[in-house]
Amino acid sequence: MTGDIVERVLSSRRYRGVDAALVERLAAEELPRSRGADDAVKRVKRRLHQAIGAFGGRATRRDDTAEAWNGDMADPKFRAACLLAMRAHASTRERIAALDRFYGAIWDRTGVPGSIVDLGCGLAPLALPWMGLARRARYVAVDVDRRALQRVDSFLDLVRQPHEVVAVDLVNEPAPAGADVVLALKLVTTLDRQDPSAAARLLASIRAPHAVVSFTTRSLSGRERGMARTYRSRLERLVAEVPRVTAVSEASVPNELVFILTLDPAHG
């Protein structure tokens, strides 16, 4: 029965690119609560929408980055193409207005990383022209949406940035590999919707001196609704749950709370 549910969900146009391990986990959780296979499929799709579907947007939107690429990350035409492509994903679209200072403010606290693991990346790696990384820096992009990862892989191939893309369900699996900085941008709330203990487990598994955790301060409809206060409290609880966090600094921008966590490797 579970296999049939997984097959039906993955055959839908909206979720055909989702990592099968995530769908299998949700199907196993929802089947006992369901009134049958049809109801289970609806329940799994509802949870997928909560986890990733609300942010995915227009996954098939035209991507002009290859046509605009001339080897120069600072070229205005190339940057404009990157911005247009990033607008296809709600999470990255919200960050566009702050890109000029977003990553620089983080690197001011961590140092410019020679390697990054980007957890739940969406289309965020397309902001590479604003990151100021060395051309030899390694970028590991992690997500459950294989369509997003395919676009990211093609983009990083295009600009010849050393990289790897990894499809993994971060509720059940640890953070892949080690890096100088691990990004978990707007990821905690997504994990919380699936398993309230998942974010702490994931943070405890990170092998890096710094992890960057962020939260949106507005809903997808644009409302603030006290979200900044709520998510500051959530960050405090998360830090309390993970003893290896030794320091927290902030590099927030409009519409996004950004926290840089220093991690003690002795507790890893």
Side-chain angles (χ1 to χ4, degrees):
M1 179 74 78
T2 300
D4 177 61
I5 293 167
V6 171
E7 183 177 349
R8 289 174 61 182
V9 171
L10 291 178
S11 67
S12 67
R13 181 178 179 183
R14 188 177 185 87
Y15 298 117
R16 67 181 56 167
V18 176
D19 183 52
L22 170 59
V23 181
E24 290 170 2
R25 175 173 61 79
L26 295 181
E29 292 174 0
E30 293 300 330
L31 186 58
R33 309 167 185 165
S34 303
R35 297 185 299 275
D38 290 346
D39 185 43
V41 169
K42 290 179 182 179
R43 286 172 172 268
V44 171
K45 288 183 176 180
R46 186 181 305 121
R47 290 188 62 187
L48 284 172
H49 178 75
Q50 293 172 344
I52 61 171
F55 304 99
R58 293 154 286 187
T60 59
R61 188 174 194 163
R62 180 178 173 181
D63 185 351
D64 294 325
T65 52
E67 181 180 340
W69 175 243
N70 66 1
D72 182 6
M73 288 281 190
D75 179 69
K77 182 179 178 182
F78 180 65
R79 289 192 171 204
C82 292
L83 292 175
L84 181 62
M86 284 188 285
R87 290 184 184 279
H89 194 279
S91 181
T92 49
R93 183 167 64 244
E94 291 172 344
R95 192 175 297 130
I96 283 175
L99 278 181
D100 286 336
R101 59 189 184 280
F102 184 83
Y103 292 97
I106 296 171
W107 309 156
D108 283 346
R109 293 158 175 81
T110 66
V112 179
S115 58
I116 288 176
V117 171
D118 192 347
L119 303 175
C121 64
L123 297 182
L126 274 65
L128 188 68
W130 289 266
M131 294 186 194
L133 301 180
R135 298 299 292 270
R136 64 181 180 277
R138 181 166 180 79
Y139 203 117
V140 179
V142 183
D143 208 287
V144 291
D145 188 341
R146 293 180 182 273
R147 289 172 298 185
L149 289 178
Q150 186 176 24
R151 294 189 71 175
V152 166
D153 190 34
S154 296
F155 177 82
L156 295 175
D157 274 339
L158 172 71
V159 300
R160 298 184 179 180
Q161 194 75 30
H163 70 281
E164 179 182 2
V165 297
V166 182
V168 64
D169 177 10
L170 292 170
V171 170
N172 279 343
E173 299 294 332
D180 294 331
V181 174
V182 171
L183 303 176
L185 304 179
K186 301 182 184 178
L187 180 62
V188 171
T189 50
T190 298
L191 297 177
D192 283 349
R193 293 186 191 103
Q194 301 175 70
D195 180 346
S197 64
R201 288 199 307 272
L202 182 64
L203 185 58
S205 76
I206 286 174
R207 300 293 178 263
H210 300 284
V212 183
V213 174
S214 78
F215 302 86
T216 186
T217 59
R218 293 185 181 274
S219 67
L220 289 174
S221 63
R223 298 178 180 178
E224 198 278 336
R225 301 188 301 185
M227 292 170 69
R229 181 174 61 255
T230 297
Y231 290 141
R232 286 184 184 279
S233 296
R234 178 64 183 103
L235 187 280
E236 291 176 0
R237 297 197 306 274
L238 180 61
V239 168
E241 293 169 358
V242 185
R244 61 188 303 236
V245 178
T246 60
V248 180
S249 59
E250 185 171 345
S252 295
V253 296
N255 300 330
E256 190 167 357
L257 298 175
V258 183
F259 302 99
I260 298 95
L261 313 183
T262 302
L263 305 178
D264 182 356
H267 289 277

